Amino acid sequence: MSTIIIWVVGAGLLIINILLRTRMLRLEAALKQERSTEYMTYLRQLPAKNDKIAAIKALRKQYFELSLIDANKLWQQR
């Protein structure tokens, strides 16, 4: 009997974990979409003579939540 209870509780915790992880990923995607205009504005304010590496470093220093890959994609869209 206790084995069944343990399995039910474990399955419930697994379902809750999956739901919370999905919600977190959706929120991160929404935040990234919302702030992308802010990122682009910051990139455009950097001096034109600024090279790629310096611009990406400055962007990641200003917005620490950006990954290197995301910062590179934003720089290419600039």
Side-chain angles (χ1 to χ4, degrees):
M1 184 68 177
S2 64
T3 306
I4 294 172
I5 294 172
I6 291 172
W7 276 95
V8 170
V9 170
L13 290 174
L14 181 65
I15 290 172
I16 291 171
N17 186 14
I18 291 170
L19 292 174
L20 290 176
R21 186 176 301 214
T22 304
R23 183 176 182 201
M24 186 176 72
L25 290 173
R26 283 188 201 144
L27 287 172
E28 285 176 349
L31 176 66
K32 194 179 293 184
Q33 181 69 25
E34 188 70 30
R35 295 204 56 191
S36 66
T37 56
E38 187 178 336
Y39 300 148
M40 293 303 286
T41 304
Y42 180 77
L43 268 176
R44 289 184 182 122
Q45 289 175 352
L46 292 175
K49 64 182 178 193
N50 208 353
D51 65 339
K52 178 180 179 179
I53 296 171
I56 290 175
K57 281 184 179 180
L59 183 66
R60 291 191 69 209
K61 188 174 185 179
Q62 179 71 24
Y63 302 104
F64 57 89
E65 70 271 8
L66 276 176
S67 69
L68 181 60
I69 295 171
D70 291 336
N72 188 24
K73 287 179 184 176
L74 286 169
W75 187 86
Q76 289 173 353
Q77 292 174 2
R78 178 177 93 139

